[in-house]
């Protein structure tokens, strides 16, 4: 298994910048997810790593091998396509052994590797069939088998679960992750589904506008987003953001709310904003605790039952500045009722509204190590 | 208004069909349409049928008025078509007839010739014409489909400078009646020594067919997702290997359809064959036509020739029929 390194890798299609210069190192055996909205350059990045797309500038290394200008077949990388790309005129068996035939493997090797992956993915009964006869999940397994059989240096997967129905995605997700753990295979996995990214990634590379926005573990991108884009893109709904003005150790928020700034933040906020400028206060829905004597107040705007909990839409002022608050499933909040809530101090973040970057506390707040709670 | 309950079908519907089509009136209309189509098809087949029976009629039956539907079939037409004969006279004829009656073993063709007072000297040159047709049509089809396939693949997959202009240019060879260039071609072929050669005719038909094959095959290859080749590339194959192992098998339908169209064009071509060949490379179509000129009109021989001429086309179409049907409807439904 190999380390993948991108150094200032950039892609232009004519004038259009599909990937801005990007640095990224993927460790051997790591499962890295490229996550981002449609059109942000995820597929293009993956295709450049595989050699299916030529880079405009920059270099790609596999371990110490410079592969920037190598033909895809010389890179020793397997690619799993969104629509599987199983060769329709070949049987499942022929599909799986096709990569081995390319390198002229001996018949014994082919048989041995074939039976290994077939056992691993439990697809022995599919071998004589043509891909057209398979269900989506089985196609996915065969595509994975075809990738695994070669024991490549790295796996690239472009939305491999995108074509499956929701129910099946979840079990395949676990299956792929399990395979990764068993094989210790360096994997770059593209998706625009953040739940998938959170569930599978050792690290997540959040992309937007052809650029990397943040690289971090799922907990890092969730609790400590590097900027407003990541804060809002990760989580459903995303992080709550409320505009505020710093005045001494108080932050005045819409609706006449005042939030007392925790000591570790005071210096940061007064320094960067010259004591009197705007900041954005950010917190996750589960960071708010409803409490009769809460520091902040608002009015219930809408409620949604999400099964295990209830999501309150609370407007801080009139019908504006709506924040989402997670509350007990059984509590009853009539529309228009007033609510008061506190924010858990370790889950509060601040952003500069002009640069959109997250502000750092003088003494970094302890990162919550609890499980990511997610819908 | 009658409701569907009244007009609906008596028996349960066990086929995939739209609801308004199971209504008995719609069914009746459908049957009427089917009958009309069958009648039209039969009318259309009358000339072929007439040709088929004419090929097996004797000289006398061919010209009978009204045409005979019931007659004694004979291979006379084929004998006239396929052999070169000389008329026997007086004593030689009597001698030959005597020998035949005396039990001397002679073939069925000789016997038929003898009935007409003729002796077979050898095969006629119609066999040569058919052979020329096969060589020229086969050769040009192979060439134009092969070249067309590579060109179509390149046009479909690669960034080629001036691609659209090139494609238009290729098509523009079809924009004027081919006969317009007949005289220049004739002079050119004379000069180049290509006149009346197999190579010259293969070259000509290949060029004519290329525009068709490039465009047709490009359509088929465009339909094959690139991902298949890309998968083959990362699986360790070169572009050329991916083409042969992945693209070609999936384009089989298109190749079959294109082959049939090319072959039929080259096989049927008349005007250029008449003008650019005289003997060595002369193909069947002008040869059949010139039979009209020699002596009396041998209708049965002409019919036999046309019948023989149809066989390869029918054979190829039949051999490729499975691909053809898919080929014609290709693109209408994504597989
Ligand atoms: N061959 C190409 N020529 C021109 N533009 C391209 C080409 N391939 C991709 N693009 C453009 O580059 C941008 C990034 O595309 P890319 O496919 O990498 O996005 P993505 O993040 O994978 O999006 P999605 O989630 O929709 O798959 C898009 O705006 C796309 O239109
Ligand atoms: Mg994509």
């Amino acid at each position: 298994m190999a380390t993948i390194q991108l150094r200032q890798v950039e892609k232009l299609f004519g004038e259009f910048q599909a990937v801005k210069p990007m640095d990224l190192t993927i460790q051997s055996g790591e499962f890295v997810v490229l996550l981002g909205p449609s059109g942000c350059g995820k597929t293009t990045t993956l295709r450049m790593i595989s050699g299916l797309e030529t880079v405009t500038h920059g270099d790609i290394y596999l371990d110490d091998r410079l592969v920037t200008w190598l033909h895809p077949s010389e890179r020793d990388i397997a690619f799993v396509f969104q629509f599987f790309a199983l060769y329709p005129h070949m049987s499942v068996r022929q599909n799986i052994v096709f990569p081995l035939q390319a390198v002229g493997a001996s018949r014994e090797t082919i048989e041995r590797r074939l039976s290994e992956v077939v056992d691993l993915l439990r697809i022995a009964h599919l071998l004589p069939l043509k891909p057209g006869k398979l269900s989506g999940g089985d196609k996915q397994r065969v595509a994975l088998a075809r990738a695994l059989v070669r024991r490549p240096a790295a796996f690239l997967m472009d939305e491999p679960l995108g074509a499956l129905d929701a129910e099946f995605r979840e079990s395949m997700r676990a299956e792929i992750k399990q395979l990764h753990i068993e094989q210790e295979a360096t994997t770059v996995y593209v998706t625009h589904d953040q739940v998938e990214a959170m569930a599978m990634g050792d690290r997540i590379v959040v992309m937007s506008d052809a650029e990397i926005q943040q690289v971090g573990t799922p907990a890092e991108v969730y609790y400590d987003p590097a900027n407003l884009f990541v804060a809002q893109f990760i989580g459903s709904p995303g992080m709550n953001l409320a505009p505020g003005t710093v005045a001494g150790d108080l932050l005045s928020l819409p609706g006449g709310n005042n939030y007392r700034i925790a000591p570790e933040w005071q210096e940061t906020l007064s320094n960067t904003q010259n004591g009197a400028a705007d900041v954005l206060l950010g917190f996750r829905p589960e960071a708010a605790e409803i409490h009769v004597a809460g520091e902040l107040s608002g009015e219930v705007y809408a409620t949604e039952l999400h099964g295990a909990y209830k999501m309150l839409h609370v407007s801080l002022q009139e019908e504006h500045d709506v924040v989402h608050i997670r509350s007990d499933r059984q509590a009853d909040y009539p529309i228009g009722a007033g609510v008061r809530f506190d924010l858990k101090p370790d889950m509060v973040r601040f952003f500069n509204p002009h640069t959109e970057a997250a502000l750092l506390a003088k003494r970094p707040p302890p990162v919550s190590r609890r499980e990511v709670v997610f819908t | 208004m009658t409701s569907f309950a009244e007009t609906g079908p008596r028996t349960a519907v066990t086929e995939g069909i739209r609801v308004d089509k199971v209504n008995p009136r719609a069914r009746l209309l459908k049957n009427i349409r089917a009958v009309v189509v069958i009648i039209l098809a039969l009318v259309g087949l009358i000339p072929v049928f007439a040709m088929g029976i004419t090929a097996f009629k004797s000289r006398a039956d061919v010209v009978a008025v009204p045409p005979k539907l019931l007659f004694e079939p004979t291979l006379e037409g084929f004998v006239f078509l396929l052999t070169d004969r000389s008329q026997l006279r007086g004593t030689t004829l009597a001698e030959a007839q005597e020998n035949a009656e005396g039990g001397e073993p002679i073939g069925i063709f000789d016997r038929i010739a003898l009935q007409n007072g003729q002796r077979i000297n050898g095969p006629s040159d119609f066999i040569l014409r058919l052979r020329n047709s096969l060589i020229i049509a086969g050769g040009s089809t192979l060439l134009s489909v092969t070249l067309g396939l590579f060109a179509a693949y390149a046009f479909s997959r690669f960034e080629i400078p001036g691609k659209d202009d090139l494609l238009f240019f290729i098509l523009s060879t079809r924009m004027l009646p081919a006969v317009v260039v007949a005289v220049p071609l004739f002079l050119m072929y004379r000069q180049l020594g290509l006149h009346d050669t197999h190579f010259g005719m293969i070259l000509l038909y290949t060029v004519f067919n290329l525009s068709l094959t490039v465009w047709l095959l490009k359509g088929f290859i465009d339909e094959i997702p690139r991902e298949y080749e890309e998968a083959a590339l990362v699986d360790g194959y070169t572009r050329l290997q991916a083409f042969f192992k992945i693209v070609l098998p999936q384009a089989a339908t298109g190749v079959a359809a294109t082959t049939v169209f090319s072959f039929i064009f080259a096989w049927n071509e008349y005007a250029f064959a008449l003008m650019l060949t005289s003997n060595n490379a002369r193909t069947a179509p002008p040869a059949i036509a010139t039979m009209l000129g020699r002596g009396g009109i041998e209708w049965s021989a002409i019919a036999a020739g046309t019948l023989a001429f149809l066989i390869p086309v029918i054979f190829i179409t039949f051999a490729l029929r499975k691909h053809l049907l898919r080929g014609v409807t290709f693109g209408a439904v994504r597989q």
Side-chain angles (χ1 to χ4, degrees):
Chain A
M1 283 301 141
T3 308
I4 302 171
Q5 252 188 76
L6 309 188
R7 292 196 194 152
Q8 288 295 302
V9 168
E10 179 183 14
K11 179 71 198 182
L12 300 177
F13 290 113
E15 298 280 290
F16 177 76
Q17 205 167 16
V19 176
K20 293 181 186 158
M22 172 190 284
D23 282 307
L24 182 65
T25 303
I26 295 149
Q27 299 301 336
S28 180
E30 200 178 17
F31 195 109
V32 166
V33 177
L34 298 186
L35 173 67
S38 193
C40 69
K42 307 180 295 289
T43 298
T44 307
T45 307
L46 209 61
R47 288 170 59 86
M48 286 193 292
I49 299 174
S50 69
L52 292 173
E53 198 75 72
T54 312
V55 301
T56 306
H57 294 295
D59 280 317
I60 300 173
Y61 290 86
L62 280 185
D63 286 331
D64 298 328
R65 201 155 60 101
L66 177 68
V67 298
T68 316
W69 300 108
L70 289 189
H71 189 269
S73 62
E74 301 166 329
R75 296 193 183 197
D76 192 20
I77 281 180
F79 202 113
V80 178
F81 294 84
Q82 177 169 8
F83 295 102
F84 319 123
L86 297 177
Y87 312 122
H89 58 289
M90 299 183 186
S91 69
V92 166
R93 183 199 173 83
Q94 287 167 323
N95 262 283
I96 297 175
V97 301
F98 193 66
L100 291 178
Q101 287 164 346
V103 294
S106 69
R107 183 168 305 175
E108 298 88 71
T109 317
I110 290 182
E111 287 305 320
R112 186 163 37 81
R113 298 270 194 92
L114 178 70
S115 68
E116 275 171 22
V117 292
V118 160
D119 290 346
L120 189 63
L121 288 153
R122 301 181 307 278
I123 49 174
H125 57 295
L126 305 177
L127 287 181
L129 302 179
K130 288 272 171 68
K133 294 248 181 334
L134 305 183
S135 69
D138 284 342
K139 281 185 192 167
Q140 183 59 70
R141 288 204 186 85
V142 175
L144 287 171
R146 190 175 66 184
L148 282 166
V149 78
R150 278 167 55 198
R151 305 196 181 145
F155 292 93
L156 308 179
M157 307 192 185
D158 190 3
E159 309 212 17
L161 304 184
L164 303 184
D165 34 356
E167 177 194 2
F168 209 78
R169 290 170 81 139
E170 217 159 304
S171 60
M172 271 321 280
R173 204 156 79 195
E175 229 170 282
I176 291 181
K177 186 69 193 177
Q178 192 57 39
L179 272 179
H180 165 76
I181 292 167
E182 282 171 27
Q183 307 281 314
E184 298 184 331
T186 310
T187 305
V188 187
Y189 185 103
V190 163
T191 180
H192 61 246
D193 178 351
Q194 45 159 324
V195 181
E196 216 168 278
M198 288 280 176
M200 302 178 77
D202 293 329
R203 279 195 301 158
I204 297 178
V205 177
V206 184
M207 290 182 68
S208 155
D209 279 340
E211 259 181 317
I212 293 184
Q213 302 292 330
Q214 184 173 4
V215 181
T217 63
E220 277 164 7
V221 296
Y222 187 77
Y223 290 110
D224 290 307
N227 56 35
L228 286 182
F229 174 81
V230 180
Q232 290 185 298
F233 186 73
I234 305 282
S236 56
M239 190 176 260
N240 294 306
L241 295 166
T245 310
V246 182
D249 62 351
L250 284 186
L251 182 71
S252 68
L253 295 168
N257 283 302
N258 280 307
Y259 175 75
R260 184 165 299 279
I261 301 168
E264 68 263 27
W265 284 104
Q266 279 178 8
E267 195 183 334
T268 312
L269 292 186
S270 56
N271 279 350
T272 51
Q273 307 302 320
N274 295 324
D278 303 332
V279 292
L280 286 172
L281 167 85
F283 63 95
R284 294 278 174 200
E286 65 273 19
E289 283 175 317
I290 293 174
H291 197 279
V292 278
E295 189 181 16
L296 303 175
S297 71
E299 198 173 88
V300 176
Y301 180 73
T303 67
E304 294 163 356
L305 181 63
H306 285 206
Y309 59 88
K310 197 171 260 181
M311 190 63 82
L312 302 186
H313 300 226
V314 174
S315 61
L316 298 181
Q317 169 180 273
E318 313 274 279
E319 288 175 1
H320 305 291
D321 299 297
V322 174
V323 295
H324 299 96
I325 294 176
R326 186 182 282 221
S327 82
D328 187 6
R329 151 175 82 87
Q330 277 147 341
D332 195 17
Y333 299 94
I335 307 260
V339 281
R340 301 198 71 86
F341 57 96
D342 281 323
L343 299 180
K344 292 177 191 160
D346 64 337
M347 288 181 72
V348 171
R349 301 289 178 268
F350 294 94
F351 299 88
N352 181 329
H354 308 295
T355 64
E356 303 201 344
L359 301 176
L360 295 178
K362 195 72 189 160
R363 198 157 36 81
V367 173
S368 174
R369 285 282 157 236
R370 280 172 301 151
E371 279 298 287
V372 178
V373 210
F374 233 81
T375 40
Chain B
M1 280 299 281
T2 46
S3 74
F4 190 75
E6 293 161 53
T7 60
R10 301 267 167 275
T11 50
V13 180
T14 54
E15 58 190 313
I17 191 166
R18 214 170 63 212
V19 70
D20 59 303
K21 297 212 164 179
V22 291
N23 156 330
R25 223 167 355 146
R27 284 250 148 137
L28 182 66
L29 271 176
K30 191 176 143 198
N31 289 339
I32 291 174
R33 280 195 298 250
V35 169
V36 170
V37 167
I38 289 171
I39 290 173
L40 283 178
L42 287 179
V43 170
L45 283 174
I46 285 177
V48 182
F49 175 71
M51 189 189 78
I53 60 172
T54 305
F56 293 97
K57 281 184 179 175
S58 65
R59 258 184 188 168
D61 289 341
V62 164
V63 290
V65 179
K68 282 191 181 173
L69 279 182
L70 291 176
F71 58 91
E72 202 181 318
T74 158
L75 288 174
E76 213 176 85
F78 289 91
V79 174
F80 292 164
L81 176 74
L82 300 173
T83 60
D84 198 24
R85 289 142 289 126
S86 55
Q87 197 69 41
L88 301 175
R89 306 203 180 276
T91 49
T92 14
L93 177 61
E95 205 176 290
Q97 275 167 342
E98 223 166 83
N99 283 346
E101 273 153 29
E104 189 190 310
I106 55 170
I108 180 153
F109 272 32
D110 294 291
R111 199 177 292 279
I112 291 168
L114 198 56
Q115 279 160 14
N116 285 294
Q118 294 172 331
R119 190 176 62 202
I120 293 176
N121 298 329
S124 73
D125 45 7
F126 187 74
I127 293 184
L128 287 180
R129 305 293 165 243
L130 269 185
R131 207 191 64 174
N132 283 344
S133 270
L134 268 181
I135 293 173
I136 290 170
S140 71
T141 300
L142 190 72
L143 261 180
S144 61
V145 172
T146 310
L147 292 175
L149 190 62
F150 283 115
Y153 181 73
F155 277 124
S156 169
R157 293 298 197 255
F158 302 127
E159 285 299 322
I160 298 170
K163 177 156 133 181
D164 294 342
D165 295 334
L166 275 174
L167 276 170
F168 180 78
F169 175 69
I170 290 174
L171 194 63
S172 68
T173 58
R174 291 247 154 183
M175 289 182 186
L176 74 174
V179 188
V180 172
V181 294
V183 173
L185 261 176
F186 178 76
L187 296 175
M188 219 157 74
Y189 267 47
R190 265 277 151 87
Q191 285 278 303
L192 294 172
L194 289 174
H195 185 268
D196 201 22
T197 61
H198 292 91
F199 176 70
M201 295 310 286
I202 289 178
L203 193 67
L204 182 74
Y205 291 162
T206 302
V207 170
F208 268 113
N209 267 333
L210 259 181
S211 56
L212 177 82
T213 57
V214 169
W215 274 81
L216 266 182
L217 288 169
K218 179 173 179 295
F220 284 103
I221 292 177
D222 281 344
E223 294 276 330
I224 303 172
R226 278 159 190 255
E227 284 192 353
Y228 293 128
E229 288 148 83
E230 295 184 335
L233 290 186
V234 289
D235 278 349
Y237 290 88
T238 64
R239 171 74 67 173
L240 199 66
Q241 286 171 324
F243 174 79
F244 283 113
K245 287 179 194 281
I246 304 300
V247 180
L248 201 52
Q250 293 188 62
T253 303
V255 172
T258 313
T259 303
V260 170
F261 286 130
S262 298
F263 185 83
I264 289 178
F265 168 82
W267 183 254
N268 284 348
E269 206 285 328
Y270 170 74
F272 283 104
L274 184 66
M275 199 158 356
L276 298 178
T277 62
S278 45
N279 180 38
N280 172 40
R282 171 138 294 192
T283 55
I288 293 174
T290 45
M291 269 189 240
L292 284 172
R294 258 191 264 137
I297 299 175
E298 298 282 5
W299 287 116
S300 56
I302 291 175
T306 318
L307 203 61
F309 183 69
L310 276 184
I311 287 169
V313 178
I314 292 172
F315 180 76
I316 284 202
T317 315
F318 189 76
L320 298 176
R321 71 193 182 287
K322 228 174 62 197
H323 292 299
L324 265 183
L325 272 181
R326 273 192 57 221
V328 174
T329 57
F330 197 82
V333 185
R334 269 198 92 77
Q335 334 111 291

